[in-house]
């Protein structure tokens, strides 16, 4: 994720900021330009960005609920921004705490959409494209105090991603993390995982990448329901650490791809944040090029997979050490084996549109 700067006073800004704390300017995000801009009000709910002073914008309708700071063209037909247009169902805002949970979900979803747009991936809502569009249902389901109806399973089906809003509650998510024996479970991770299923259908199914996918991840024609049932009944594969980025990835090729896809998005976005802060890793003792890094490239545009990994691994060593100094477990509890690296390289090639034979060699 980028860092931003107030065009009026130079204050450091973050992606979710809605007002500059130094000069008081209202802020809005221009998705088509990847810019968070200070705004000047010109009446009738119209704003002129200081970053693009000759154009006029309105806020996305969901700004009224404090869940979005993105802008749309003032005279355009869209009331919702590219991220909010993906919503099919939002939580019942009359229920206690649902607005807070929705705000957390939208924070993660907007970060997801930021990354998808930065990659230039095809992205449309089901309202615009009934066959290939994406949509989200945010539902209250099985999460204890958030129960409003039948149990809800977070998942993806033919372009529709369902999210149980209880995942946005810290205590409930920690319970799920413990019960599911997952060392890493986040709201943003859920979004990135589920959208991986969507892009499997959109970019791989019956396309030029399909056979290469099967060679790398396995045959997805295995019975999916039976595979998941076996995973939950018997536990993870004994050798999953050697072949998969997570234990759940070993349950079925579709889940392996979705977990790998999400992990690749984690890597790229975190490297962009590290670059924005000017982070370098250069240990004062025991120095070796393998544990040194300096992100001097745009991670979203970097086509050299090896360059990404060469920067990523030293950064993970450093952040894990920082966590240990605070008495916390690893911030990054993963080991990237050669098999996992190959799968990440596949996702990298898929996203950047390079030939399978070139990227997988």
């Amino acid at each position: 994720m980028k860092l931003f700067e107030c065009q009026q006073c130079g204050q450091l800004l973050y992606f979710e900021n809605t007002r500059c704390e130094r000069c008081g300017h209202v802020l809005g995000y221009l998705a088509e330009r990847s810019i968070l801009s200070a705004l000047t009000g010109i009446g009738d709910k119209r704003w002129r960005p200081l970053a693009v002073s000759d154009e006029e914008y309105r806020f996305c309708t969901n700004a009224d609920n404090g869940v979005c700071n993105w802008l749309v063209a003032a005279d355009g037909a869209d009331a919702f921004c590219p991220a909010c247009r993906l919503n099919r169902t939002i939580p019942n805002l009359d229920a206690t705490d649902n607005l807070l949970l929705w705000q957390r979900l939208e924070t993660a979803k907007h970060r997801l959409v930021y990354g998808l747009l930065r990659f230039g991936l095809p992205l449309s809502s089901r309202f615009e494209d009934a066959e290939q569009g994406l949509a989200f249902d945010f539902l209250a389901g099985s999460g204890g105090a958030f129960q409003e109806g039948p149990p809800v399973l977070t998942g993806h089906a033919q372009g529709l991603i369902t999210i149980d809003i209880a995942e946005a509650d810290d205590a409930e998510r920690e319970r799920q993390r413990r019960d599911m024996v997952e060392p890493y479970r986040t709201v943003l991770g859920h979004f990135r995982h589920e959208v991986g299923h969507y892009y499997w259908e959109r970019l791989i199914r019956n396309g030029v990448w399909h056979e290469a996918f099967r060679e790398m991840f396995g045959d997805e024609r295995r019975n999916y329901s039976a595979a998941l049932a076996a995973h939950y009944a018997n536990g993870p594969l004994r050798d999953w650490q050697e072949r998969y980025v997570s234990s759940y990835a070993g349950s079925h090729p579709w889940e392996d791809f979705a977990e790998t896809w999400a992990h690749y998005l984690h890597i790229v976005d975190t490297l962009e944040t590290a670059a924005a802060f000017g982070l370098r890793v250069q240990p004062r003792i025991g120095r070796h090029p393998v544990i040194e890094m300096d992100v001097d490239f745009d991670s979203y545009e970097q086509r050299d997979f090896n360059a990404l990994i060469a920067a990523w691994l030293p950064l993970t060593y450093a952040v894990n050490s920082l966590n240990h100094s605070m008495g916390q477990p690893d911030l990054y509890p993963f080991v990237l084996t050669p098999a996992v690296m190959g799968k990440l390289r596949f996702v990298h090639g898929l996203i950047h549109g390079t030939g399978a034979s070139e990227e997988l060699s």
Side-chain angles (χ1 to χ4, degrees):
M1 179 60 66
K2 289 182 177 180
L3 294 175
F4 303 92
E5 183 179 62
C6 177
Q7 293 80 10
Q8 176 64 29
C9 69
Q11 172 76 0
L12 176 67
L13 304 174
Y14 298 94
F15 182 62
E16 290 86 10
N17 286 161
T18 58
R19 182 178 296 274
C20 177
E21 294 299 325
R22 178 181 292 172
C23 68
H25 267 69
V26 173
L27 305 171
Y29 184 71
L30 300 166
E32 71 277 12
R33 299 173 183 266
S34 297
I35 295 174
L36 184 65
S37 180
L39 307 174
T40 299
I42 54 177
D44 195 27
K45 296 185 178 181
R46 290 175 173 245
W47 301 86
R48 184 170 289 124
L50 272 63
V52 192
S53 58
D54 58 343
E55 298 183 22
E56 297 180 6
Y57 291 86
R58 292 177 287 108
F59 274 101
C60 169
T61 296
N62 279 341
D64 294 341
N65 290 305
V67 299
C68 182
N69 66 342
W70 289 26
L71 299 166
V72 296
D75 296 318
D78 294 317
F80 295 95
C81 72
C84 292
R85 286 201 294 271
L86 302 176
N87 291 348
R88 191 180 79 159
T89 306
I90 65 171
N92 173 16
L93 300 185
D94 291 329
T96 303
D97 294 331
N98 276 10
L99 177 59
L100 174 61
L101 297 178
W102 185 34
Q103 288 171 337
R104 293 173 180 173
L105 291 173
E106 287 295 345
T107 295
K109 191 193 73 184
H110 279 66
R111 282 184 169 252
L112 168 74
V113 174
Y114 166 89
L116 301 179
L117 294 176
R118 289 278 280 115
F119 278 129
L121 287 164
L123 183 64
S124 56
S125 77
R126 294 186 72 167
F127 303 104
E128 301 162 334
D129 184 346
E131 293 186 1
Q132 293 189 303
L134 177 65
F136 290 91
D137 280 349
F138 298 136
L139 305 177
S142 56
F146 308 104
Q147 180 81 36
E148 293 180 6
V152 172
L153 294 178
T154 292
H156 168 269
Q158 299 177 330
L160 177 62
I161 293 176
T162 301
I163 301 288
D164 185 343
I165 66 170
E167 288 289 349
D169 177 72
D170 294 339
E172 176 62 21
R173 190 173 60 258
E174 174 59 21
R175 183 187 70 80
Q176 291 278 359
R177 187 197 66 77
R178 185 182 63 251
D179 292 348
M180 304 294 284
V181 194
E182 296 180 351
Y184 186 83
R185 187 182 181 97
T186 66
V187 179
L188 182 54
H190 277 307
F191 278 98
R192 286 174 172 164
H193 173 98
E194 298 304 339
V195 88
H197 288 299
Y198 168 73
Y199 280 107
W200 186 90
E201 292 188 348
R202 187 149 186 181
L203 302 180
I204 294 178
R205 182 191 292 274
N206 299 326
V208 297
W209 287 85
H210 205 149
E211 285 305 314
F213 163 82
R214 286 177 177 165
E215 292 177 8
M216 181 66 66
F217 294 88
D219 193 335
E220 82 287 352
R221 290 171 292 189
R222 284 174 49 201
N223 186 292
Y224 180 69
S225 297
L228 291 191
H231 171 78
Y232 289 120
N234 305 323
L237 301 173
R238 289 185 179 181
D239 65 342
W240 73 263
Q241 293 97 333
E242 296 299 319
R243 300 161 53 197
Y244 304 99
V245 74
S246 71
S247 60
Y248 185 60
S251 62
H252 189 275
W254 279 335
E255 298 303 338
D256 191 8
F257 176 79
E259 286 285 89
T260 306
W261 173 280
H263 205 91
Y264 179 80
L265 267 58
H266 288 334
I267 290 172
V268 171
D269 201 49
T270 304
L271 284 175
E272 184 183 46
T273 305
F277 276 100
L279 294 182
R280 301 177 63 193
V281 176
Q282 193 173 55
R284 291 174 180 249
I285 60 174
R287 293 177 60 181
H288 190 282
V290 173
I291 58 174
E292 297 179 3
M293 63 81 75
D294 184 3
V295 188
D296 57 357
F297 52 80
D298 183 333
S299 58
Y300 277 97
E301 296 181 0
Q302 176 58 262
R303 302 181 72 85
D304 182 355
F305 176 77
N306 293 332
L308 289 175
I309 296 302
W312 178 243
L313 293 179
L315 181 62
T316 65
Y317 305 152
V319 296
N320 281 347
S321 295
L322 290 171
N323 254 33
H324 297 165
S325 296
M326 291 290 293
Q328 296 291 328
D330 286 347
L331 179 65
Y332 184 75
F334 302 95
V335 176
L336 301 184
T337 64
V340 173
M341 289 283 201
K343 294 172 183 178
L344 288 167
R345 186 183 294 272
F346 177 96
V347 172
H348 175 81
L350 178 68
I351 287 177
H352 288 283
T354 55
S357 60
E358 174 189 342
E359 266 302 312
L360 299 177
S361 60

